Amino acid sequence: MIQEVVRQLPPESTQQAVGYPSLFLLVALGSLVPVVPTGALVSSAAVVALHQASPFSLLIVFGVASAAAFLGDICLYWLGQRGVRSKNGSKWLRTISNRAAPERLAQAQQKLDEHGAVVLVLSRLVPAGRIPVMLACLLGRMPLRRFARGDVPACLAWAATYQLIGTLGGSLFPEPWQGVVAAVGLTLLVSGAPAVWRRMRARFSH
């Protein structure tokens, strides 16, 4: 069934014309509203690019993903700043605050005080680490320009990491759809493993 769908896919040029803008919009949206699995999107796009004839496909995926992630982060931070400045806050600030556990927020604030904007890079690579660090930056009144400078290498490292996952998954299988399935599975495993470990540790500690 899946093989038949793959055979009926449009030509490579059409896939690129539709795929790159779609990837940009979905990653930007996923950065702005943290419910879309953007890592899995980038890994899947890398698998498809790996099987394309163009030598620049992987480079384009990297550029599109990192630029979209940066745009989403900047928009979310700007909205958060508006919430911090207003008397009654904003729904955007409340939304991202609800996604940050108090202990993780305190830990992020401590690391931000100790290491500065370097923590932004690590927060992008650690599952569920981006929102607590961004919230700590907002509460610490970090200027948007300084946040943007730290977020550039963070988004580049994030895009490179998930593209590498997709490339590794895609190189193991002859068919693109097989690589996509493997890349998505590996991405979800990497993303979910820390949360599972924290829950198990909390259960056994009690």
Side-chain angles (χ1 to χ4, degrees), residues 26-86:
L26 289 173
V27 171
L29 178 63
S31 298
L32 189 60
V33 184
V35 293
V36 179
T38 52
L41 290 172
V42 175
S43 297
S44 301
V47 173
V48 176
L50 184 67
H51 289 84
Q52 290 181 342
S54 173
F56 302 107
S57 295
L58 285 172
L59 184 61
I60 295 174
V61 168
F62 172 74
V64 169
S66 54
F70 178 77
L71 177 63
D73 283 356
I74 294 302
C75 290
L76 183 60
Y77 195 78
W78 178 77
L79 289 169
Q81 281 186 320
R82 291 186 62 188
V84 169
R85 294 191 188 104
S86 65

